[in-house]
Amino acid sequence: MTQDPLVVFTPSGKRGRFPKGTPVLTAARQLGVDLDSVCGGRGICSKCQVAPSYGSFSKHAITVADDALSEWNAVEERYEQKRGLKPGRRLGCQAQIMGDVVIDVPAESQVHRQVVRKAASARVIEMDPATRLYFVEVDEPDMHEPTGDLERLARALEREWDIPAIRADQSLLARLQPVLRKGKFQVTVALHKSHADDVARVIEIWPGLHEGGLYGLAIDLGSTTIAAHLTDLDTGEVKASSGIMNPQIRFGEDLMSRVSYAMMNPGGDKEMTRAVREAIDALATGIAEEAGIDPILIVETVFVCNPVMHHLLLGIDPVELGQAPFALATSQSISMAARELDLGAINPRARTYILPCIAGHVGADAAAVALSEEPGKSEDLVLVVDVGTNAEILLGDTSRVLACSSPTGPAFEGAQISSGQRAAPGAIEAIRIDPDTKEPRFRVIGCDKWSDEEGFDAETAETGITGICGSGIIEAVAEMRMAGLLDESGLIGSAEATGTPRSVPEGRTHAYLVHDASAEGGPRITVTQGDIRAIQLAKSALYAGARLLMDERGVDHVDRVVLAGAFGAHISPKHAMVLGMIPDVPLDKVTSAGNAAGTGARIALCNVAARVEIERVVRQITKVETAIEPKFQEHFVAANAIPHKTDPFPELSKIVPLPQVSFNVGPSGDSADGGRRRRRRR
């Protein structure tokens, strides 16, 4: 008896025997091979493209003849003429198995295709979104079988896609009948099925085969900035990224000041909720316009945010988060309709998922960082620091993960800095100060040249030099310390003490002049004593939080540090170490993960299983509350010094010898050379 042909699918290695004439797509489905199809095998979506291989394959003990698949047919010919197929490709729904064959499923034809996230360490995101497209042929109305259009759509989805039940909002029902008739009862539906919901929701419907794409927004709602990534729900590709300032800043620059505003002003929480929702809606409109897509195609949003932002986004008064025991209204993940958040710019039936919070001061943004960076899977002890207005800090390895939040304030993001601004063209993002001449050179966003290079003036003529952003102020303070312009306590020396006229008097203190364009009507950019103090407060809070977690683990050092945050990718590890932002480790053990919270949001957007995973992980994280830890203040005070008052920083000292200078300020406000205090004349 002749055996049925053997089919081997790569790269999965799944194999089986099928009768001659079986479509490749049918064989793939029966074997559980990851082969995509939106049209259900009708030869119109091209998602099921495969690449057959011919010849002898000793590994599989199989020889593939030239006629192992059926001849090229009219459907494939039509598609080839209209769209084009890559050489050697066949449509899996059209090519039939006629003999033993090896079939490769290309990455772009896999349902759960993998997306590599390029960061400090390459990470793979498996595509398994909650919202998908399905093409169906719906039975036409029949007077002898009086059922509604929605019921016949449900029947078609069950028959063709094994989807047992659906639900639809009233707004969708209003579109259903005209769309069905326009498509001659062939339609594409976008179905959303979350891990917590057994019934699929119909989000949108299009006549015929919809090929305009399907998109989601991964949104990192921060205290100072709101960042969004418009993501293709089919490929995982980020089509556009954009960010805006959080308009709640006008109610208070840090979280506690916003909580205070809500406490002191009746209806203040509602005012802040309205402001942030309007900003998110405007951001969605802008990012869709930038990507050139119809906002109706944005069918899902995922949010990560700290607890105060979480409550204000949801319209919950954050007053309980302003006092011990810092109780959350809910710490669980939330799945809801986007319209409940007044998001009117996107699809009216779009769904929203908000990641779970870890604790009262450790929010969904920290959960997203844990999802992105996976400290619980690290063999060595890793400290992950998400630098922002409210820093999220994770410390862990395979044995245990701890988390805390530290109130750093907005200084790291350029706020509360005299010449500070958000990261935009014209902002100084990097700076170097010659330790001998004390002269600065700098680089601005939008220009690759340094300020002392030929062509810099021409390339920055349009944007100008407008201010200094977060990464720039971090480097400026660290460079001033390395150049001897700043002592360990954070005092800026006078021109006499430092030997440079760039140390200019400013009231009873001094400032360092970085750039002066006032003669041409431009800005005068300085680093003031107030700026230094703001950075000291921010970095001390950050370091103290990290030390608390290290105390909890009973360690004095960590193996490596990962810097995350909106500008984590732009922070120089050396300058962060000189500043004392992070514990002392070898510089090659300090890496950047960019906006890890945003990446975590994107992972949750692209993969339903990741949502289940992070909901499990947050329950296992040990929470440390900085607000009630008595040692926090002790660590904070010691960390005020640059880099630190008591911690020796041996790894840093190997590569950066810091000048031993002291600029004690006398009663007159003048600085004395070499740290000698000038006596006041009587």
Side-chain angles (χ1 to χ4, degrees), residues 25 36-49 79 83 91 93 135 161 209-211:
L25 179 61
D36 201 359
S37 175
V38 169
C39 72
R42 295 175 178 83
I44 55 177
C45 76
S46 85
K47 295 284 186 183
C48 64
Q49 290 185 36
Y79 192 88
R83 307 282 177 77
L91 294 182
C93 62
F135 178 87
W161 293 101
L209 179 69
H210 169 71
E211 296 183 287

Side-chain angles (χ1 to χ4, degrees), residues 57-256:
F57 298 87
S58 56
K59 176 183 176 182
H60 304 301
I62 187 174
T63 298
V64 181
D66 291 342
D67 58 355
L69 292 182
S70 60
E71 292 289 330
W72 186 268
N73 69 11
V75 174
E76 290 173 300
E77 181 64 36
R78 185 178 71 247
Y79 192 88
E80 164 68 16
Q81 289 174 358
K82 283 188 174 182
R83 307 282 177 77
L85 285 169
K86 288 184 180 179
R89 293 280 179 89
R90 298 289 302 271
L91 294 182
C93 62
Q94 300 300 310
Q96 298 174 355
I97 298 162
M98 306 305 290
D100 295 348
V101 67
V102 175
I103 301 284
D104 183 61
V105 181
E108 62 268 30
S109 296
Q110 295 169 18
V111 176
H112 302 98
R113 60 182 61 82
Q114 295 181 332
V115 181
V116 177
R117 178 177 69 84
K118 295 179 176 65
S121 57
R123 275 281 313 286
V124 172
I125 303 172
E126 184 178 278
M127 290 302 298
D128 187 17
T131 310
R132 293 183 178 279
L133 292 173
Y134 299 88
F135 178 87
V136 288
E137 291 188 16
V138 180
D139 295 335
E140 294 191 28
D142 185 342
M143 290 180 64
H144 301 291
E145 193 178 344
T147 56
D149 283 349
L150 180 63
E151 288 69 33
R152 282 182 283 101
L153 173 63
R155 188 191 305 160
L157 284 163
E158 183 173 18
R159 180 178 66 240
E160 297 178 20
W161 293 101
D162 295 324
I163 294 167
I166 61 171
R167 70 177 69 172
D169 291 353
Q170 184 277 331
S171 61
L172 189 282
L173 289 177
R175 282 178 47 75
L176 180 60
Q177 291 192 312
V179 170
L180 275 171
R181 282 146 185 84
K182 184 176 180 181
K184 296 182 172 57
F185 292 90
Q186 292 187 338
V187 293
T188 306
V189 292
L191 294 185
H192 175 90
K193 192 171 186 298
S194 72
H195 64 284
D197 195 350
D198 291 333
V199 179
R201 296 173 182 270
V202 185
I203 303 297
E204 193 52 83
I205 183 167
W206 295 269
L209 179 69
H210 169 71
E211 296 183 287
L214 208 59
Y215 301 91
L217 281 176
I219 301 171
D220 180 5
L221 173 54
S223 310
T224 303
T225 57
I226 307 171
H229 305 287
L230 180 69
T231 305
D232 188 318
L233 293 180
D234 180 42
T235 65
E237 180 187 355
V238 176
K239 293 293 186 180
S241 293
S242 188
I244 56 173
M245 298 300 287
N246 187 333
Q248 292 176 342
I249 285 176
R250 68 178 182 266
F251 304 104
E253 288 192 317
D254 57 46
L255 296 176
M256 286 305 102

